[in-house]
Amino acid sequence: MPALFLSLLKLIFLAFIYLFLWQVARAVMTHTGAGSAVTRPKAGTDVVFVRSESQSGLRVSVKEGVVIGRSDDADIVIDDPYASDLHLRFGIQDGAMVVHDLGSTNGTYVNGRRVTSPVGLNRGDAVQVGKTIMEVR
């Protein structure tokens, strides 16, 4: 009887070790973003001006590069005193939308963080230029 009891305890112990390692692996995959595609936000291809003095509701489809700024040379001219002449560029890189700050004076912000190098965007991300806020959809 004691041999059977010890064998049963060994099996239960091995089952707990397996469950523990499985939970650790799930936590690591979730933390590194290696989980299923369902949990990751999908890449958007449109930018909608959600807060702007003159362009609220404007929807811009990004197929290639789109430059936004106050200059007439920009693809989309915005009326924001805090925007530079050529402020930022939206582009597509590896199938995902990317934003590049073009050396603007007041900076470009994605979800409240200043952009210092090209940043990949997902649906729902907020891009701010001065007082103008755009959302990726």
Side-chain angles (χ1 to χ4, degrees):
M1 185 78 166
L4 179 63
F5 182 69
L6 288 176
S7 295
L8 187 60
L9 282 177
K10 285 180 188 178
L11 286 175
I12 292 172
F13 179 71
L14 287 175
F16 279 125
I17 288 176
Y18 171 77
L19 288 173
F20 173 75
L21 291 175
W22 182 64
Q23 288 293 334
V24 168
R26 278 186 51 202
V28 168
M29 285 178 36
T30 302
H31 180 73
T32 60
S36 68
V38 175
T39 60
R40 288 189 227 140
K42 300 204 178 202
T45 58
D46 291 348
V47 176
V48 176
F49 286 74
V50 292
R51 190 168 73 185
S52 172
E53 290 184 18
S54 60
Q55 292 160 311
S56 287
L58 175 66
R59 186 179 200 103
V60 178
S61 182
V62 178
K63 301 290 185 217
E64 294 187 15
V66 175
V67 176
I68 295 179
R70 287 187 314 164
S71 171
D72 290 334
D73 294 332
D75 298 322
I76 305 293
V77 179
I78 60 173
D79 185 25
D80 190 321
Y82 297 102
S84 296
D85 289 342
L86 299 174
H87 197 98
L88 66 87
R89 178 182 181 273
F90 287 110
I92 302 294
Q93 185 175 10
D94 298 328
M97 191 184 309
V98 179
V99 64
H100 303 260
D101 183 85
L102 300 176
S104 64
T105 305
N106 293 320
T108 301
Y109 295 85
V110 174
N111 297 328
R113 300 181 108 174
R114 189 169 184 148
V115 172
T116 56
S117 61
V119 173
L121 299 172
N122 293 313
R123 285 194 177 146
D125 285 345
V127 179
Q128 183 170 354
V129 173
K131 294 180 179 180
T132 304
I133 298 178
M134 298 162 273
E135 185 178 308
V136 178
R137 295 197 180 156

